[in-house]
Amino acid sequence: NAGVTQTPKFRVLKTGQSMTLLCAQDMNHEYMYWYRQDPGMGLRLIHYSVGEGTTAKGEVPDGYNVSRLKKQNFLLGLESAAPSQTSVYFCASSPGQRLGNTIYFGEGSWLTVV
Amino acid sequence: QKEVEQDPGPLSVPEGAIVSLNCTYSNSAFQYFMWYRQYSRKGPELLMYTYSSGNKEDGRFTAQVDKSSKYISLFIRDSQPSDSATYLCAPTPLGRGSTLGRLYFGRGTQLTVWP
């Protein structure tokens, strides 16, 4: 019962480097999301997807790109990492927009940009 | 003004105490109210949700919503050390064009229940 799996779990990047965070869900969910969590700021939505091949901007999209080529995967890319992107990143998925649908979160990816 | 305000705490109580966690919100479009629990170095997990004003009970947990004052509460009865976590309120709008994933999280309240 994997649920939502994020890789890698920990990563240290140098300023200007690029990287991709991978999110995979095995629940056949339509909706997927990327959030970041910072001390004192709570969880903020970066990008989300309401289906394969679709993406949309969330609250804090600048500096990130996403792709949803396969229904089960949602990739978050940092093209040129900055220290301000040091954060914990959470991927989430849900079946769709119905009352009572649960949103499931992954375990998180800790990213440090030096 | 943030759309959801939540006192971050920390809140420290003895085992067996009644805990009250609260949020206020400003967006009248919020119709669906969730509480998430997040243990240290883990992802948030859904604890409870409610749709209407009033109370909803689930074991030791009671969620309360007052839409007229835009106030959300979570009560924990007979608190246990295993309840030590961060609790996040997350209201969301419903309806055409919205998504249940577009949660507007509060900052979270860190709770410690000591034996």
Side-chain angles (χ1 to χ4, degrees), chain B residues 24-62:
Chain B
T24 59
Y25 64 94
S26 58
N27 191 341
S28 297
F30 290 153
Q31 297 293 324
Y32 185 61
F33 304 92
M34 290 182 261
W35 282 94
Y36 277 79
R37 177 174 61 194
Q38 185 176 21
Y39 291 113
S40 179
R41 304 188 75 80
K42 296 289 187 182
E45 57 180 352
L46 182 65
L47 183 63
M48 293 184 67
Y49 67 88
T50 184
Y51 181 62
S52 57
S53 281
N55 294 349
K56 179 179 180 181
E57 193 173 312
D58 184 0
R60 296 184 293 109
F61 298 88
T62 299

Side-chain angles (χ1 to χ4, degrees), chain A residues 9-10 31 33 35 37 40-43 45 48 50 58-59 90 94 96-103 105-108 110, chain B residues 2 32 34 36 38 41-46 49 51 86 88 94-108:
Chain A
K9 195 167 179 68
F10 301 98
Y31 288 24
Y33 321 89
Y35 284 86
Q37 187 173 36
M41 299 293 290
L43 280 156
L45 183 64
Y48 65 98
V50 298
E59 187 182 354
F90 287 99
S94 71
Q97 188 180 324
R98 278 185 17 207
L99 190 65
N101 278 343
T102 299
I103 292 108
F105 282 84
E107 296 275 280
W110 275 254
Chain B
K2 275 182 68 71
Y32 185 61
M34 290 182 261
Y36 277 79
Q38 185 176 21
R41 304 188 75 80
K42 296 289 187 182
E45 57 180 352
L46 182 65
Y49 67 88
Y51 181 62
T86 296
L88 304 108
L94 280 179
R96 188 181 299 277
S98 72
T99 164
L100 285 181
R102 184 55 176 105
L103 301 174
Y104 294 77
F105 284 96
R107 287 188 294 170

Side-chain angles (χ1 to χ4, degrees), chain A residues 2-74:
Chain A
V4 179
T5 304
Q6 295 180 226
T7 54
K9 195 167 179 68
F10 301 98
R11 183 75 188 268
V12 178
L13 278 180
K14 292 182 179 179
T15 298
Q17 285 185 320
S18 63
M19 76 159 294
T20 300
L21 295 174
L22 170 64
C23 177
Q25 52 96 1
D26 61 0
M27 297 173 282
N28 201 35
H29 286 171
E30 289 294 332
Y31 288 24
M32 295 188 74
Y33 321 89
W34 276 106
Y35 284 86
R36 61 178 288 175
Q37 187 173 36
D38 303 291
M41 299 293 290
L43 280 156
R44 293 181 291 169
L45 183 64
I46 305 171
H47 285 280
Y48 65 98
S49 168
V50 298
E52 182 179 314
T54 74
T55 62
K57 293 180 180 180
E59 187 182 354
V60 287
D62 294 341
Y64 304 96
N65 56 75
V66 288
S67 64
R68 183 103 181 265
L69 298 179
K70 293 183 179 180
K71 186 177 184 179
Q72 64 267 34
N73 295 338
F74 196 29

